[in-house]
Amino acid sequence: MSASAVFVLDLKGKVLICRNYKGDVDMAEIDHFLPLLMTQEEEGLTCPIMSHGNVHFLWIKHTNLYLVATTNKNSNASLVYAFLYKVVEVFTEYFTELEEESIQDNFVVVYELLDELMDFGFPQTTDSKILQEYITQEGTKLEVAKTKVPTTVTNAVSWRSEGIKYKKNEVFIDVIESINLLVNANGSVMSSDIVGTVKLKTMLSGMPELRLGLNDRALFALTGRDKGKTVTMEDVKFHQCVRLSRFESDRTISFIPPDGESELMSYRINTHVKPLIWIESVIEKFSHSRVEIMVKAKGQFKKQSVANNVEVRFKTSTGHAKYVPEKNLAVWTIKSFPGGKEFLMRASFGLPSVENDEMEGKPPITVNFEIPYFTVSGIQVRYMKIIEKSGYQALPWVRYITQSGDYQLRSNF
């Protein structure tokens, strides 16, 4: 079971728009939502699910809006929340910004979308590209062609339209890995992992079937082949186009792709990561009113790679940062950082007094970077097969990117 009704409220609890899907919950029950929420906030016990009698409110907050689903059944909460976040995603793709004003300015379109997104409490068509084929923002313009519902709504392949044609058939694959890293003041890695995504941009005619092969350790173990470097992926999540039964049986990633850009899959690799950019910092005191901090950055990745747009961000808990005073933050930017190289920076801080030898706290140094043509995990696209009944030839292009996620080094100031 899913939602009985969905409401969009402003921050004062006023209903901007709503859709009653099942009629088994009194719509006036929504009046109890904000008082319940305010009571919980006062007690410091805010809960994502609240109840009034036998009616349950499942809610999320986005900008200056509350999106609330009501139910009087033991509903699948994860399904309801996935739907609410999908509503936010669809509305954002339609209106760019989802806020109170965009709901008021596009009332008719919003209601039509709520009508198509769910039917009798169950999610239906939630792909914005398909919805945009027959729900447009040209509300006053009636077109006969738009009155016919696209076959994609009733197709098994609801995320892709029929009859797509391109002069040149291509598919672009981006493998993007973000490194989460925490290093303590002694230089030891306290925690690290890699979060990866595989993104597609498909420009393929017809209804092609794609098969993606990665150097997946589980696949190699299944087939008895273990050649070269393999990776163990955890928490793998797929776009709805991937045939999960096929993946679970033989680890083949087989799918009919959405047209244009999409995120095919995401994964996590729980492994010890050597810091790609190492930071050392030293503090020096001069007289009673000036402190100079020296920061050394070293690229600990292979020499043929180059990190782009590197930012080293650090704070001082005492005094006044010279570069970004409103944030008490200094930012050191390096446009191009080759592997194996070292760079040095000195920053001055004016202080009222540095009589006390004990600095207040040791805030972390954060590093932002992006390294193209490189993955720290060693994940590789082994092949991309494109099969279409017309037999056309298509070109797959692969790009690898490693970037910083939550990348922090505790300072030894």
Side-chain angles (χ1 to χ4, degrees), residues 133-399:
E133 289 186 28
Y134 62 102
I135 297 179
T136 70
Q137 288 170 272
E138 298 174 1
T140 57
K141 187 177 177 183
L142 179 63
E143 296 179 25
V144 176
K146 295 294 182 184
T147 60
K148 183 181 178 183
V149 177
T151 54
T152 44
V153 177
T154 53
N155 266 358
V157 186
S158 62
W159 54 86
R160 185 179 179 88
S161 304
E162 293 180 350
I164 296 171
K165 291 183 180 179
Y166 286 97
K167 288 184 178 179
K168 188 177 182 182
N169 291 287
E170 297 177 300
V171 56
F172 298 87
I173 308 163
D174 280 352
V175 181
I176 304 169
E177 291 191 339
S178 299
I179 299 176
N180 299 319
L181 181 81
L182 177 62
V183 178
N184 68 14
N186 297 323
S188 301
V189 176
M190 302 297 291
S191 64
S192 64
D193 69 355
I194 301 165
V195 177
T197 57
V198 177
K199 296 185 177 181
L200 298 181
K201 183 179 181 181
T202 55
M203 295 186 289
L204 300 172
S205 304
M207 199 67 74
E209 168 139 355
L210 276 59
R211 291 175 191 164
L212 176 67
L214 304 172
N215 56 336
D216 177 9
R217 186 167 298 168
L219 170 63
F220 281 26
L222 200 65
T223 58
R225 295 178 296 144
D226 192 5
K227 297 177 181 178
K229 184 175 176 60
T230 58
V231 296
T232 301
M233 298 183 293
E234 301 176 32
D235 299 339
V236 181
K237 298 182 182 69
F238 289 110
H239 186 278
Q240 62 178 340
C241 67
V242 175
R243 294 184 177 90
L244 293 180
S245 57
R246 180 82 185 269
F247 179 77
E248 288 167 359
S249 64
D250 61 11
R251 304 290 286 190
T252 298
I253 303 172
S254 174
F255 58 98
I256 296 173
D259 186 44
E261 296 181 359
S262 62
E263 183 175 301
L264 179 67
M265 62 179 288
S266 63
Y267 60 89
R268 184 176 62 85
I269 298 175
N270 191 10
T271 183
H272 178 81
V273 179
K274 178 184 177 182
L276 297 181
I277 295 180
W278 182 254
I279 304 295
E280 293 180 9
S281 52
V282 177
I283 186 167
E284 296 181 68
K285 297 177 182 178
F286 297 90
S287 68
H288 297 290
S289 59
R290 188 167 66 90
V291 168
E292 190 168 273
I293 295 175
M294 182 179 70
V295 179
K296 182 169 73 173
K298 181 179 180 181
Q300 298 191 144
F301 48 93
K302 56 187 181 181
K303 292 183 179 179
Q304 57 266 45
S305 295
V306 176
N308 297 327
N309 301 316
V310 177
E311 284 187 351
V312 181
R313 295 168 170 258
F314 58 95
K315 290 185 177 182
T316 174
S317 56
T318 307
H320 174 78
K322 191 172 183 180
Y323 293 102
V324 191
E326 66 274 14
K327 293 184 179 179
N328 201 32
L329 178 74
V331 181
W332 177 23
T333 302
I334 305 167
K335 276 287 186 185
S336 181
F337 198 138
K341 292 285 185 180
E342 286 188 10
F343 295 99
L344 193 66
M345 186 205 70
R346 289 181 181 270
S348 296
F349 298 86
L351 306 175
S353 172
V354 289
E355 291 287 346
N356 192 349
D357 288 338
E358 196 65 39
M359 297 289 283
E360 294 179 11
K362 295 182 179 180
I365 294 174
T366 61
V367 186
N368 298 332
F369 60 85
E370 183 177 283
I371 308 174
Y373 319 114
F374 172 76
T375 58
V376 70
S377 71
I379 194 169
Q380 291 180 340
V381 175
R382 294 173 50 243
Y383 62 83
M384 168 65 86
K385 294 180 181 177
I386 303 166
I387 305 160
E388 214 277 331
K389 61 184 179 182
S390 65
Y392 63 69
Q393 295 296 311
L395 295 171
W397 304 90
V398 184
R399 180 173 63 167

Side-chain angles (χ1 to χ4, degrees), residues 6-143:
V6 170
F7 299 81
V8 181
L9 313 178
D10 65 15
L11 295 181
K12 295 180 180 178
K14 178 186 174 184
V15 177
L16 301 176
I17 195 167
C18 61
R19 179 67 170 87
N20 189 356
Y21 294 106
K22 298 177 68 177
D24 59 348
V25 173
D26 186 349
M27 297 294 279
E29 286 287 338
I30 195 64
D31 295 339
H32 300 290
F33 168 74
L34 195 64
L36 283 170
L37 180 61
M38 292 178 68
T39 300
Q40 287 198 352
E41 286 179 344
E42 287 171 4
E43 296 172 355
L45 300 169
T46 307
C47 180
I49 301 177
M50 302 185 296
S51 300
H52 178 260
N54 66 339
V55 177
H56 310 292
F57 303 100
L58 294 85
W59 64 280
I60 62 172
K61 184 180 179 183
H62 182 81
T63 59
N64 57 354
L65 300 172
Y66 292 112
L67 282 80
V68 186
T70 58
T71 180
N72 60 2
K73 302 288 193 302
N74 185 18
S75 298
N76 183 335
S78 61
L79 177 63
V80 175
Y81 282 111
F83 176 77
L84 291 176
Y85 282 109
K86 194 67 182 179
V87 169
V88 171
E89 181 184 320
V90 170
F91 285 1
T92 302
E93 289 182 11
Y94 261 83
F95 314 126
T96 308
E97 296 290 338
L98 176 56
E99 53 191 12
E100 183 178 342
E101 188 176 347
S102 56
I103 296 292
Q104 293 169 340
D105 291 348
N106 300 278
F107 186 88
V108 174
V109 176
V110 171
Y111 194 84
E112 288 180 353
L113 287 171
L114 288 174
D115 203 40
E116 292 296 334
L117 285 163
M118 182 171 277
D119 183 30
F120 199 67
F122 294 92
Q124 296 296 308
T125 307
T126 58
D127 191 304
S128 61
K129 290 179 183 175
I130 302 303
L131 290 165
Q132 284 168 0
E133 289 186 28
Y134 62 102
I135 297 179
T136 70
Q137 288 170 272
E138 298 174 1
T140 57
K141 187 177 177 183
L142 179 63
E143 296 179 25

